[in-house]
Amino acid sequence: MGKLRDYFESNNGRLIHKWMHYFDIYDRHFERFIGQEINILEIGVSHGGSLQMWKDYFGDKATIFGLDIDPLCKSLEEEQINIIIGDQGDGDFWKAIKPSLPKFDIIIDDGGHHMSQQKITFEEMFPVLSSHGVYLIEDLHTSYWEEYGGGLGSSDNFIEYSKKMIDNLNAWYSRDSQLSINQFTTSVWSMSYYDSVLVIEKRPKEQPFDKITGTPSW
């Protein structure tokens, strides 16, 4: 088992609720940040157990922020852990608070899981993610649930919304005027889809080019 799963399995502290296959995803995309001076935002605090888990995992150089709509969560603040109270589905809230926040290296959306919440949070916060940062959206199975604003094939669900990003990632090769290079194209290195999770990693990009080496066979 990885370090995060070991922590989870032996946890006797604050409640943590996670799908078990997420831990391999976390280790794959977060391991490079261990011991680094980074800022992390997790949306959805609940009982605060996962914030403590990130604190243990990343080490004493990490500054962790949790955001939740429940004012009771403010009592969960401790060394390295800051709690923000607000509604992730309110674009005006994000616009008002962003100037006071640091640039985040990791953003984890484990909040309300409603389509509008996921979209508004992404549209407000992804542009200010650090240039080599990671944006992870959890519990995307709600894209298939009508009560969360989703539904299979619905244009409103986040899975369908994210499919358009794949075109933006590959816009360098478009011969159609409807698809052109934009900020997403030049700042995103990868999009990794897993069961119920999407991880988007940033890395500054210039236009790709190919080369040929070696001697032709004929």
Side-chain angles (χ1 to χ4, degrees):
M1 291 192 298
K3 182 180 177 182
L4 277 171
R5 186 161 178 171
D6 285 344
Y7 180 98
F8 178 81
E9 295 285 8
S10 61
N11 177 42
N12 291 313
R14 293 175 183 158
L15 183 147
I16 309 172
H17 180 194
K18 293 289 184 183
W19 291 86
M20 297 308 296
H21 68 281
Y22 287 8
F23 289 100
D24 287 339
I25 302 169
Y26 296 147
D27 281 325
R28 182 173 185 177
H29 293 277
F30 293 163
E31 186 177 23
R32 64 185 169 97
F33 294 101
I34 293 175
Q36 303 299 309
E37 191 171 324
I38 57 169
N39 296 307
I40 304 156
L41 171 64
E42 181 170 42
I43 298 149
V45 171
S46 185
H47 296 269
S50 62
L51 298 178
Q52 291 183 322
M53 179 177 71
W54 301 130
K55 177 179 172 179
D56 178 83
Y57 181 70
F58 290 108
D60 59 10
K61 293 182 181 179
T63 302
I64 300 159
F65 289 77
L67 184 141
D68 204 283
I69 200 169
D70 186 350
L72 292 176
C73 292
K74 191 67 176 175
S75 66
L76 302 175
E77 286 189 323
E78 60 182 65
E79 186 177 359
Q80 291 182 245
I81 294 177
N82 308 281
I83 304 295
I84 305 164
I85 303 302
D87 180 0
Q88 74 166 124
D90 183 349
D92 290 335
F93 160 76
W94 285 117
K95 288 179 175 65
I97 199 170
K98 276 191 292 186
S100 67
L101 297 176
K103 187 173 286 291
F104 291 106
D105 302 286
I106 296 174
I107 297 177
I108 303 164
D109 186 352
D110 187 21
H113 309 312
H114 194 280
M115 302 304 103
S116 61
Q117 294 171 317
Q118 291 172 337
K119 291 177 190 176
I120 289 170
T121 301
F122 181 82
E123 288 168 3
E124 292 294 334
M125 296 304 292
F126 185 75
V128 298
L129 182 71
S130 69
S131 62
H132 288 76
V134 176
Y135 195 104
L136 187 149
I137 309 108
E138 296 188 6
D139 298 343
L140 285 178
H141 48 267
T142 59
S143 282
Y144 303 98
W145 296 353
E146 287 80 1
E147 64 267 33
Y148 283 82
L152 179 63
S154 168
S155 60
D156 291 331
N157 79 47
F158 195 88
I159 292 291
E160 291 297 324
Y161 172 84
S162 72
K163 289 176 183 178
K164 297 173 184 175
M165 300 178 203
I166 300 172
D167 290 329
N168 289 325
L169 181 67
N170 292 283
W172 303 104
Y173 315 104
S174 174
R175 295 174 177 174
D176 191 315
S177 61
Q178 296 181 82
L179 178 61
S180 57
I181 296 164
N182 58 21
Q183 187 177 17
F184 193 92
T185 316
T186 59
S187 66
V188 172
W189 176 250
S190 68
M191 298 175 64
S192 301
Y193 284 88
Y194 303 90
D195 181 331
S196 303
V197 173
L198 170 59
V199 183
I200 305 175
E201 296 197 73
K202 278 190 173 181
R203 186 190 299 181
K205 284 171 57 184
E206 296 180 354
Q207 183 168 356
F209 61 92
D210 62 329
K211 295 174 66 175
I212 298 174
T213 64
T215 304
S217 299
W218 54 81

